[in-house]
Amino acid sequence: MIYFRSDYSQGAHPKVLDALIKTNEEHTDGYALDPHSEHAAQMIKDLIGRQDCEVYMMVGGTPTNIITIASALKPWEAVVAPRTGHIYRHECGGVEASGHKIIPMNPINGKLTPALIEEAWLEYEDDHTVIPKMAYISNTTELGTVYTKAELEALSKCCKNHDMYLYMDGARLGAALTSDEADYTIKDIAQLVDAFYIGGTKNGALLGEAVIILNEEINDHYRWMIKQNCGMLAKGRLIGVQFEALLDGGENSIFFEMAAHENKMAKKLREGITALGYSFSGTSTTNQIFPIFPTTMVRELEKDFFFYDWEGYGDDQRVIRLVTSWGTKESDVDAFLEAIKKF
Amino acid sequence: MIYFRSDYSQGAHPKVLDALIKTNEEHTDGYALDPHSEHAAQMIKDLIGRQDCEVYMMVGGTPTNIITIASALKPWEAVVAPRTGHIYRHECGGVEASGHKIIPMNPINGKLTPALIEEAWLEYEDDHTVIPKMAYISNTTELGTVYTKAELEALSKCCKNHDMYLYMDGARLGAALTSDEADYTIKDIAQLVDAFYIGGTKNGALLGEAVIILNEEINDHYRWMIKQNCGMLAKGRLIGVQFEALLDGGENSIFFEMAAHENKMAKKLREGITALGYSFSGTSTTNQIFPIFPTTMVRELEKDFFFYDWEGYGDDQRVIRLVTSWGTKESDVDAFLEAIKKF
Amino acid sequence: MIYFRSDYSQGAHPKVLDALIKTNEEHTDGYALDPHSEHAAQMIKDLIGRQDCEVYMMVGGTPTNIITIASALKPWEAVVAPRTGHIYRHECGGVEASGHKIIPMNPINGKLTPALIEEAWLEYEDDHTVIPKMAYISNTTELGTVYTKAELEALSKCCKNHDMYLYMDGARLGAALTSDEADYTIKDIAQLVDAFYIGGTKNGALLGEAVIILNEEINDHYRWMIKQNCGMLAKGRLIGVQFEALLDGGENSIFFEMAAHENKMAKKLREGITALGYSFSGTSTTNQIFPIFPTTMVRELEKDFFFYDWEGYGDDQRVIRLVTSWGTKESDVDAFLEAIKKF
Amino acid sequence: MIYFRSDYSQGAHPKVLDALIKTNEEHTDGYALDPHSEHAAQMIKDLIGRQDCEVYMMVGGTPTNIITIASALKPWEAVVAPRTGHIYRHECGGVEASGHKIIPMNPINGKLTPALIEEAWLEYEDDHTVIPKMAYISNTTELGTVYTKAELEALSKCCKNHDMYLYMDGARLGAALTSDEADYTIKDIAQLVDAFYIGGTKNGALLGEAVIILNEEINDHYRWMIKQNCGMLAKGRLIGVQFEALLDGGENSIFFEMAAHENKMAKKLREGITALGYSFSGTSTTNQIFPIFPTTMVRELEKDFFFYDWEGYGDDQRVIRLVTSWGTKESDVDAFLEAIKKF
């Protein structure tokens, strides 16, 4: 069985695992108050070109979203998000369980736009209505698309106009930054958003994300919020050690190398599938692609390949999701393309 | 100044006030555990033709919605609602503050439909997604429209198919039941929904609604939920006494009489405005109507009439909301129609 | 049956009822944005001798507590309260349901002390522990006792030292201020606390309390919090109109007159019971008293008098709670004293 | 520097790390829906001698507590806990943030007793009070003490009488089961409680606990609750793989071997310290001990040893906490005993 199921189906990149092995017997203080977590935080500050921020080692993407949103919003404030966004669709009501409303807007290619934020504001009136205070975006989006610099600048400006925070979910930030569409660096992102996170879980870590809080208003007792919302690890250094390994070398680190590899493998898949005459749902150019195949063909492919059977498309076709990862081999891609040639 | 601002701008219908005066010096137990509240509950059971239910005297519409929804839903369950619905738009995130997600759907004339419920279910997948467990409708809707019997039956059937509760917000139930469009009685409603409330505040009471829980699953420790969610009055009999007065005479009570009057006054306004060549936003036939007037005319009307300046319409027109009430006099309507004739 | 059950077993003082009758047909804006609510707020500012505060008309005591605490506390902050306090014992977990921890301390005569606040702080460590940010007291307490000025000053100083808010639940503030023990006025209270409320429900109103927010940190979007937490009345003026009547005449108003009457009736009861050789649980000098009677006697008394059978005391005695109210007649008291003479 | 700071200051036991290394390149499904997690769950069912239960791989102790309690309790229900209990003291209000009240009782040696549960019930009255529905105990307790079988049986019986759940926090369950005081096995625990967890983090895992739900009422949509409350790992197999390694060999596994080692090292420390004439706070016989030393001595010891400076004791002494771990060497203990001989 060849896996295109997700970018979290294997363990860690060997270098990440090595770092955990090498540091295993060290004694350190708990709860991410250790030298590795501190060092990783400093590496990130250097990478993004800003020292005036706080960096926290987080256990996963959903906790990072829920905790950051709950830290940013007062009880009467809400977060605007694409209806396809992870916080609206795939976090089992976690944001609402923490007491906050999500205002979902129908996105364009999975993206939020200033026009959609303006539309959300039309619903605001007075003390009977929540106040939109944050815009949530994912980059790459849940549909594999990537924001352009112009799009991010426009969102940033719109948020500032409305005294809103702009928050970027970076579960797949590596894939975004190494995509052909990204006309910006991580340094640019750090100038445009109020908070974002660098995803480890979906890019070669065992677990863990690093959240960067650039706006001090969101940073009030953030560690208390981590603890209260189930996000604090006793052996917190685990995340720090992994990010040290992931980001060693900065822009030449395995973090970017793995992401570029993912995108390259996905591109080869996409071009091969296109060459065979199939089309795609959406416009992803990153490591998640959504080809449309006849249903019978999907059922055959499932025997040798493990992927997400996404949704129906017309009467007898289906959209599937193929995801490439740090561990995807070129031979996996070739095998898939060979397989579909038979149909 | 003549008021078309809302149906809660005056105090109580004189008969309601009289009931409060007559019972004022009585001593009773608190927290709605008194003979008046019990009697009112029994009157309602008789009116709706069902004895196998529980009736609670509630302090207001928003508390009734929040408490009933929180009583019905487990933490991982959500409520589907029209995006124009009161719980989504005008309760300041109260449902979410109690931990539950609202799934908003774009309504047709303010109404939820089985097709929209099916569409909401498309977003359900597995343990990463909340489970739609309740459908919320308002009758009349926030746009003044009224569900037909066929529509209610279709919603009821759809909910049953999905093991969902159907809940009706009856803040303006009187207006709905006495409208030309209502091809059913309150007894029919009690056969089709799992819970609903009879609105007092917007139909002649000082304050208070009566919620009817027809599905025992929603009734678990309901009084504890009232207390916990700020809805329990020490002098709870106040609501009971008022509903005794409102519903005295059953279908011939002032509750229905006032509602019919409201609709009649609105109809006269609507027909008068139409005759003068103006059109309306939406299709309301009840006590809220939404005429479209030139902006300059709206500004003039505001000098003598108090109403809600609803929203812009094109470049130089505006939608306003006119609401009639138990206290609206025919002379008020005539004065308004006279006034707009001048333009 | 003679009632000593509670101070909320009857309707409103006749003057309060008259005010509601007189204003019944007025049209005003809703949600407490009306001239009566504004006027009542101004009367209260004058009464307490401070203009630099906000006054809100609230629907009841529990909503006032829950909303004020939720407005004051961030998610990681907690409120210290006597274990007998209303928020800990009798609000069905409402404060916790809104997400906040109560730190209960064993009180002295129902009162919180600086020593108890210091003891609560011993439990604080770091980001694993909530931060005590507010002290909650009731005056009179749930046991009928009254804070002295020295006690309030000491609490105020202790709170300031710890950067905490001091909040007074004034459900029975009238009884406290007119008690023999109160060596201060309402003006003094307004200098010592960050927020408090003047209870109407238990002192002659149909319903309603007036909360005074003296610290602007607690006042952030307070009306949004009222709405979100089920506390906003459509016909909000109801509370305003009642407070206009309650406080008309300031220190000579029926508010203080009724409270003094309650205390006087309770005193007569207390002295009569004492003269007959019975003792009391607690040291209340206000309108709630807790005599200890033989169980058999309690069972006999229950036939003619309605009171709260509080708790057992030794093998064959019980503590009962007698509460006097604005409507308690001297003849009621005489009847009770006559009745116990027979035993 | 020698560490007696905690039992989570190092990484994983070498065998646990090996298991992670060996399985690193495997592809599996995410979210603990993988063969390792399933296998570990089955191993645990066999170990505890019950197949009629559900076992979930959890990311940490606080998430396990918060999620299990939130799964067990309805909004109006509360959990009774020792005031020293982890959920009351060290989870930053997480249980309350999820909406539930903790009823804290003053424990005996860190333990809850049936008498304390009965005392908690004295505070229950009616729909104004939360209903105690669960008793929370830790074993070992936060003070290092261990429940006896008789104590657990008495608690279990008391809970059944009150229709309450008994839940055991097993963050240090290994230390409890291998202590001299434990006159029972893990199989006995599985007969006496409704849910408990086996702690991995504090006994040789990198992270992770395994929760066992024995009462199906607590198991309703438990995975939804994990996701909603930030507890679901994308690479969920990490916990499963570790528990496979920890429990390989059942009662002869490294899980019990490490715990016995911890207790043995603590015993040597305890006996050595006692022999030198010092006393202890509390009666712990497990891997957390609390010696009392002169303050000046504590300050000297801090130069070479890292431990928790627990609290003051009288004017010039302090209680410190020493914790032994799987990695504690006998030479560490000897060094400490040598060091204190100098004073």
Side-chain angles (χ1 to χ4, degrees):
Chain A
M1 183 70 72
I2 292 174
Y3 273 66
F4 293 110
R5 174 69 172 182
S6 73
D7 31 19
Y8 45 85
S9 64
Q10 291 183 288
H13 185 283
K15 288 192 181 169
V16 171
L17 197 61
D18 275 351
L20 288 170
I21 295 167
K22 274 182 196 147
T23 58
N24 188 59
E25 307 241 337
E26 284 180 22
H27 285 274
T28 60
D29 207 351
Y31 307 113
L33 299 171
D34 64 273
H36 296 289
S37 298
E38 284 169 29
H39 180 221
Q42 187 54 52
M43 289 169 73
I44 288 168
K45 291 181 184 182
D46 295 344
L47 179 69
I48 66 170
R50 285 189 62 171
Q51 303 296 323
D52 58 338
C53 59
E54 291 296 328
V55 180
Y56 301 95
M57 301 296 129
M58 307 296 286
V59 73
T62 294
T64 306
N65 289 336
I66 291 176
I67 292 164
T68 304
I69 291 167
S71 292
L73 302 187
K74 306 250 175 52
W76 57 86
E77 295 174 340
V79 53
V80 181
R83 191 150 182 144
T84 48
H86 203 261
I87 58 166
Y88 184 77
R89 278 292 296 277
H90 285 111
E91 299 188 356
C92 200
V95 168
E96 291 90 350
S98 81
H100 296 288
K101 191 188 195 78
I102 302 173
I103 301 173
M105 306 306 293
N106 290 329
I108 286 115
N109 281 329
K111 298 183 196 176
L112 196 67
T113 65
L116 292 170
I117 294 175
E118 298 296 344
E119 199 180 319
W121 271 97
L122 292 181
E123 294 182 340
Y124 179 71
E125 292 174 32
D126 54 22
D127 43 34
H128 288 62
T129 37
V130 292
I131 302 175
K133 183 66 185 177
M134 178 182 261
Y136 165 94
I137 58 175
S138 307
N139 199 20
T140 69
T141 70
E142 293 74 9
L143 307 185
T145 50
V146 179
Y147 284 87
T148 64
K149 191 171 184 188
E151 287 170 339
L152 293 177
E153 285 171 341
L155 282 168
S156 182
K157 189 177 167 193
C158 175
C159 285
K160 278 191 176 56
N161 287 347
H162 283 295
D163 194 23
M164 292 171 73
Y165 306 124
L166 180 58
Y167 168 59
M168 184 187 288
D169 178 333
R172 294 189 174 95
L173 188 61
L177 288 169
T178 57
S179 75
D180 295 341
E181 293 169 283
D183 52 348
Y184 49 87
T185 68
I186 198 167
K187 284 186 173 68
D188 296 314
I189 290 175
Q191 296 295 330
L192 292 167
V193 303
D194 296 277
F196 71 110
Y197 78 83
I198 302 174
T201 304
K202 290 172 178 165
N203 196 24
L206 279 186
L207 78 164
E209 334 290 322
V211 70
I212 298 104
I213 309 292
L214 296 148
N215 185 324
E216 66 180 0
E217 289 174 9
I218 304 179
N219 194 44
D220 192 8
H221 287 79
Y222 194 88
R223 280 179 57 84
W224 277 252
M225 291 299 282
I226 295 176
K227 179 64 190 171
Q228 186 177 79
N229 290 283
C230 300
M232 195 172 277
L233 281 189
K235 300 187 181 179
R237 80 182 194 213
L238 291 181
I239 317 292
V241 166
Q242 291 181 82
F243 269 95
E244 286 180 313
L246 284 171
L247 297 174
D248 184 34
E251 288 168 27
N252 299 311
S253 65
I254 55 169
F255 179 82
F256 292 102
E257 187 187 290
M258 286 188 286
H261 172 77
E262 291 167 17
N263 286 345
K264 189 179 162 196
M265 291 299 101
K267 188 177 186 181
K268 183 167 184 183
L269 268 175
R270 204 169 61 244
E271 292 179 350
I273 291 166
T274 303
L276 290 165
Y278 298 103
S279 62
F280 292 83
S281 172
T283 61
S284 168
T285 61
T286 60
N287 75 318
Q288 300 180 83
I289 58 175
F290 301 83
I292 302 166
F293 293 138
T295 303
T296 49
M297 178 171 156
V298 170
R299 295 297 164 249
E300 281 300 309
L301 288 170
E302 284 175 334
K303 294 175 183 167
D304 295 315
F305 301 92
F306 190 41
F307 50 79
Y308 206 118
D309 183 11
W310 199 251
E311 60 185 5
Y313 188 88
D315 284 344
D316 51 7
Q317 295 187 93
R318 297 197 67 77
V319 177
I320 68 169
R321 186 182 77 162
L322 301 176
V323 186
T324 54
S325 176
W326 65 269
T328 301
K329 297 179 206 125
E330 194 142 6
S331 58
D332 298 337
V333 172
D334 292 339
F336 189 85
L337 294 175
E338 278 308 307
I340 62 173
K341 274 185 197 160
K342 296 177 196 155
F343 294 92
Chain B
M1 183 69 71
I2 293 175
Y3 273 66
F4 293 109
R5 173 70 172 182
S6 72
D7 31 21
Y8 44 86
S9 65
Q10 290 183 288
H13 185 282
K15 287 192 182 169
V16 171
L17 197 61
D18 275 351
L20 288 170
I21 295 167
K22 275 182 196 146
T23 58
N24 188 58
E25 306 240 336
E26 283 180 25
H27 285 274
T28 61
D29 207 350
Y31 307 114
L33 299 171
D34 64 273
H36 295 289
S37 297
E38 284 169 30
H39 180 222
Q42 186 56 52
M43 289 170 73
I44 288 169
K45 290 182 184 181
D46 296 343
L47 179 69
I48 67 170
R50 286 188 63 172
Q51 302 298 322
D52 58 337
C53 58
E54 292 295 328
V55 180
Y56 301 96
M57 301 297 127
M58 307 296 286
V59 73
T62 294
T64 306
N65 289 337
I66 290 175
I67 292 165
T68 304
I69 291 167
S71 292
L73 301 187
K74 307 252 174 51
W76 56 87
E77 295 174 340
V79 53
V80 181
R83 191 149 182 146
T84 48
H86 203 259
I87 57 166
Y88 184 77
R89 279 291 298 276
H90 286 110
E91 299 188 356
C92 200
V95 168
E96 291 90 350
S98 81
H100 296 289
K101 190 187 195 80
I102 301 172
I103 301 174
M105 306 305 295
N106 289 329
I108 288 116
N109 281 327
K111 297 183 197 176
L112 197 68
T113 66
L116 292 170
I117 294 175
E118 298 297 343
E119 199 181 318
W121 270 98
L122 292 181
E123 294 182 341
Y124 178 71
E125 291 174 33
D126 55 20
D127 42 34
H128 288 61
T129 37
V130 291
I131 302 175
K133 182 68 184 177
M134 180 182 258
Y136 166 94
I137 58 175
S138 308
N139 199 19
T140 69
T141 69
E142 293 75 9
L143 307 185
T145 51
V146 179
Y147 284 87
T148 65
K149 191 171 183 187
E151 287 170 340
L152 292 177
E153 285 170 342
L155 282 168
S156 182
K157 190 179 165 191
C158 174
C159 285
K160 278 192 176 54
N161 286 347
H162 283 296
D163 193 24
M164 291 172 72
Y165 307 123
L166 180 58
Y167 168 59
M168 184 187 287
D169 178 333
R172 293 189 175 97
L173 187 62
L177 287 169
T178 57
S179 75
D180 296 340
E181 294 169 283
D183 51 350
Y184 50 87
T185 67
I186 197 167
K187 284 187 174 67
D188 295 314
I189 290 174
Q191 296 296 330
L192 291 168
V193 303
D194 295 277
F196 71 109
Y197 78 83
I198 302 173
T201 303
K202 289 171 178 166
N203 196 24
L206 279 186
L207 79 163
E209 335 290 322
V211 70
I212 298 106
I213 309 291
L214 296 148
N215 185 326
E216 66 180 1
E217 291 174 7
I218 304 178
N219 195 43
D220 191 8
H221 287 78
Y222 194 89
R223 280 179 58 84
W224 276 252
M225 291 300 283
I226 294 176
K227 180 64 190 171
Q228 185 177 80
N229 289 282
C230 300
M232 195 171 277
L233 280 189
K235 300 187 181 178
R237 80 183 195 213
L238 292 180
I239 318 292
V241 165
Q242 291 182 83
F243 269 94
E244 286 180 313
L246 284 170
L247 297 174
D248 185 33
E251 289 168 25
N252 299 311
S253 63
I254 54 168
F255 179 81
F256 292 101
E257 187 188 291
M258 286 188 287
H261 172 77
E262 290 167 18
N263 286 345
K264 190 179 161 195
M265 291 299 101
K267 188 177 185 181
K268 184 167 183 183
L269 268 175
R270 205 168 61 244
E271 292 177 349
I273 291 166
T274 304
L276 290 165
Y278 298 103
S279 61
F280 292 83
S281 172
T283 61
S284 168
T285 62
T286 60
N287 76 318
Q288 300 180 84
I289 58 175
F290 301 83
I292 303 164
F293 293 138
T295 302
T296 50
M297 177 171 156
V298 170
R299 297 294 164 250
E300 281 300 308
L301 287 169
E302 284 175 334
K303 294 174 184 167
D304 295 315
F305 301 92
F306 190 39
F307 50 79
Y308 205 118
D309 183 10
W310 200 250
E311 58 185 6
Y313 187 89
D315 284 345
D316 50 7
Q317 295 186 92
R318 297 197 67 78
V319 178
I320 69 168
R321 186 182 77 161
L322 300 176
V323 186
T324 55
S325 175
W326 66 268
T328 302
K329 296 179 208 127
E330 193 142 7
S331 59
D332 297 337
V333 173
D334 292 338
F336 188 86
L337 294 175
E338 278 308 306
I340 62 173
K341 275 186 197 158
K342 297 178 196 154
F343 294 93
Chain C
M1 183 69 71
I2 293 175
Y3 274 66
F4 292 110
R5 174 69 172 182
S6 72
D7 30 20
Y8 44 85
S9 64
Q10 291 182 288
H13 186 283
K15 288 191 182 169
V16 172
L17 198 60
D18 275 351
L20 288 170
I21 295 166
K22 275 181 197 146
T23 58
N24 188 59
E25 307 239 337
E26 284 180 22
H27 285 275
T28 61
D29 206 351
Y31 307 113
L33 299 172
D34 63 273
H36 296 288
S37 297
E38 283 169 29
H39 180 220
Q42 186 56 51
M43 288 169 73
I44 288 169
K45 291 181 183 181
D46 295 343
L47 179 69
I48 67 170
R50 286 188 62 171
Q51 302 297 323
D52 57 338
C53 58
E54 291 296 328
V55 180
Y56 301 96
M57 302 297 128
M58 306 296 285
V59 73
T62 294
T64 307
N65 289 336
I66 290 176
I67 291 164
T68 305
I69 291 168
S71 293
L73 302 187
K74 306 252 174 52
W76 56 86
E77 295 175 339
V79 53
V80 181
R83 190 149 183 146
T84 49
H86 204 261
I87 58 166
Y88 184 77
R89 278 293 295 278
H90 286 110
E91 299 188 355
C92 200
V95 168
E96 291 90 350
S98 81
H100 296 288
K101 191 187 195 78
I102 302 173
I103 301 173
M105 307 305 294
N106 290 328
I108 286 113
N109 281 328
K111 297 183 196 175
L112 197 67
T113 66
L116 291 170
I117 293 174
E118 298 296 344
E119 200 181 317
W121 270 98
L122 293 181
E123 294 182 341
Y124 179 71
E125 292 172 33
D126 54 21
D127 43 33
H128 288 62
T129 37
V130 291
I131 302 175
K133 183 67 185 178
M134 178 183 261
Y136 165 94
I137 57 175
S138 307
N139 199 21
T140 71
T141 70
E142 292 74 9
L143 308 184
T145 51
V146 178
Y147 285 87
T148 64
K149 191 171 183 187
E151 287 170 341
L152 292 177
E153 286 171 341
L155 281 168
S156 182
K157 189 178 167 191
C158 174
C159 285
K160 278 191 175 54
N161 287 346
H162 284 295
D163 194 22
M164 291 170 72
Y165 306 123
L166 180 58
Y167 168 59
M168 183 186 289
D169 178 333
R172 293 188 176 96
L173 188 61
L177 288 169
T178 57
S179 75
D180 296 341
E181 293 169 283
D183 52 349
Y184 50 86
T185 68
I186 198 167
K187 284 188 173 65
D188 295 314
I189 290 176
Q191 295 295 330
L192 291 167
V193 304
D194 295 277
F196 71 110
Y197 78 83
I198 302 174
T201 303
K202 290 171 177 166
N203 196 24
L206 279 186
L207 78 163
E209 335 289 322
V211 70
I212 298 105
I213 309 292
L214 296 147
N215 184 325
E216 66 179 2
E217 290 174 9
I218 304 178
N219 195 44
D220 191 8
H221 288 77
Y222 194 89
R223 280 179 58 85
W224 278 251
M225 292 299 282
I226 294 176
K227 180 64 190 172
Q228 186 178 80
N229 290 282
C230 299
M232 195 171 278
L233 280 189
K235 300 186 180 178
R237 80 184 196 211
L238 291 181
I239 318 293
V241 165
Q242 291 181 83
F243 269 94
E244 286 180 313
L246 284 171
L247 297 174
D248 184 33
E251 289 167 25
N252 299 311
S253 64
I254 55 169
F255 179 81
F256 291 102
E257 187 188 289
M258 285 188 286
H261 171 77
E262 290 167 17
N263 286 345
K264 188 179 162 197
M265 291 299 100
K267 188 178 187 181
K268 185 168 183 183
L269 268 175
R270 205 168 62 243
E271 292 178 350
I273 291 166
T274 303
L276 289 165
Y278 297 102
S279 61
F280 292 84
S281 172
T283 60
S284 167
T285 62
T286 60
N287 75 318
Q288 300 179 85
I289 59 175
F290 301 83
I292 302 165
F293 293 138
T295 302
T296 50
M297 178 170 155
V298 170
R299 296 296 164 248
E300 281 300 311
L301 288 169
E302 284 174 335
K303 293 174 184 167
D304 295 316
F305 301 92
F306 190 39
F307 50 78
Y308 204 118
D309 183 10
W310 199 250
E311 61 185 4
Y313 187 88
D315 284 346
D316 51 6
Q317 295 187 93
R318 296 197 68 77
V319 178
I320 68 169
R321 186 182 77 161
L322 301 176
V323 186
T324 54
S325 176
W326 66 268
T328 302
K329 298 178 205 126
E330 194 142 8
S331 58
D332 298 336
V333 172
D334 292 338
F336 189 85
L337 294 176
E338 278 307 307
I340 63 173
K341 273 184 197 160
K342 297 177 195 154
F343 294 92
Chain D
M1 183 69 71
I2 292 175
Y3 273 66
F4 293 110
R5 174 69 172 182
S6 72
D7 31 20
Y8 44 86
S9 64
Q10 291 182 287
H13 185 283
K15 288 191 182 170
V16 172
L17 197 61
D18 275 351
L20 289 169
I21 295 166
K22 274 181 196 148
T23 58
N24 188 59
E25 306 240 337
E26 283 180 25
H27 285 274
T28 61
D29 207 351
Y31 307 114
L33 299 172
D34 65 273
H36 295 289
S37 297
E38 283 169 30
H39 180 222
Q42 187 55 53
M43 288 169 73
I44 288 169
K45 290 181 184 181
D46 295 343
L47 179 70
I48 66 169
R50 285 189 63 172
Q51 302 297 323
D52 58 336
C53 59
E54 291 296 328
V55 179
Y56 300 96
M57 301 296 127
M58 307 296 285
V59 73
T62 294
T64 307
N65 289 336
I66 290 175
I67 292 164
T68 304
I69 291 167
S71 292
L73 301 186
K74 306 251 174 53
W76 56 87
E77 294 174 340
V79 54
V80 181
R83 191 150 181 143
T84 48
H86 203 261
I87 57 167
Y88 184 77
R89 279 291 297 278
H90 285 111
E91 300 188 354
C92 200
V95 168
E96 291 90 350
S98 80
H100 296 287
K101 190 187 195 79
I102 301 173
I103 302 173
M105 306 305 295
N106 289 329
I108 287 115
N109 281 329
K111 297 183 197 176
L112 196 67
T113 66
L116 292 170
I117 293 175
E118 298 296 344
E119 200 180 318
W121 270 98
L122 292 180
E123 294 181 341
Y124 179 71
E125 291 173 33
D126 55 20
D127 43 33
H128 288 62
T129 37
V130 291
I131 302 176
K133 182 68 184 177
M134 180 182 259
Y136 165 94
I137 58 175
S138 307
N139 199 19
T140 69
T141 70
E142 292 74 9
L143 308 185
T145 51
V146 178
Y147 284 88
T148 65
K149 190 171 183 187
E151 287 170 340
L152 293 177
E153 285 170 343
L155 282 168
S156 181
K157 190 178 165 191
C158 174
C159 284
K160 277 191 176 52
N161 287 346
H162 283 296
D163 194 24
M164 291 170 73
Y165 306 122
L166 180 57
Y167 168 59
M168 184 186 287
D169 178 333
R172 292 188 176 98
L173 189 61
L177 287 169
T178 57
S179 76
D180 296 340
E181 293 170 284
D183 52 350
Y184 50 86
T185 67
I186 198 168
K187 283 186 174 66
D188 295 314
I189 290 175
Q191 295 296 330
L192 291 168
V193 304
D194 295 277
F196 72 109
Y197 78 84
I198 302 173
T201 304
K202 290 171 178 167
N203 196 26
L206 279 186
L207 79 163
E209 336 289 321
V211 70
I212 299 104
I213 309 292
L214 295 147
N215 184 324
E216 65 179 2
E217 291 173 8
I218 304 178
N219 195 43
D220 191 8
H221 288 78
Y222 195 88
R223 280 179 57 85
W224 277 252
M225 291 299 283
I226 294 175
K227 180 63 190 172
Q228 186 177 79
N229 290 281
C230 300
M232 195 172 277
L233 280 189
K235 301 187 180 177
R237 80 183 195 212
L238 292 180
I239 318 292
V241 166
Q242 291 181 84
F243 268 94
E244 285 180 313
L246 284 170
L247 297 174
D248 185 33
E251 289 168 26
N252 299 311
S253 63
I254 55 169
F255 180 81
F256 292 101
E257 186 187 290
M258 285 188 287
H261 172 76
E262 290 168 17
N263 285 345
K264 189 179 162 197
M265 290 300 99
K267 189 177 185 181
K268 184 168 184 183
L269 268 176
R270 205 168 61 244
E271 291 178 350
I273 292 166
T274 304
L276 290 166
Y278 297 103
S279 61
F280 291 83
S281 172
T283 61
S284 167
T285 63
T286 60
N287 76 318
Q288 300 180 83
I289 58 175
F290 301 84
I292 303 165
F293 294 137
T295 302
T296 49
M297 178 170 155
V298 170
R299 297 296 164 249
E300 282 299 309
L301 288 170
E302 285 175 333
K303 294 175 184 167
D304 295 316
F305 302 91
F306 189 40
F307 50 78
Y308 204 117
D309 184 11
W310 199 251
E311 59 184 5
Y313 188 89
D315 283 346
D316 51 7
Q317 296 186 92
R318 297 196 68 77
V319 178
I320 69 168
R321 186 182 77 161
L322 301 176
V323 186
T324 54
S325 175
W326 66 269
T328 302
K329 299 181 204 121
E330 194 141 7
S331 58
D332 298 338
V333 173
D334 292 338
F336 189 84
L337 294 176
E338 278 308 307
I340 63 174
K341 274 186 197 157
K342 296 180 196 154
F343 295 93

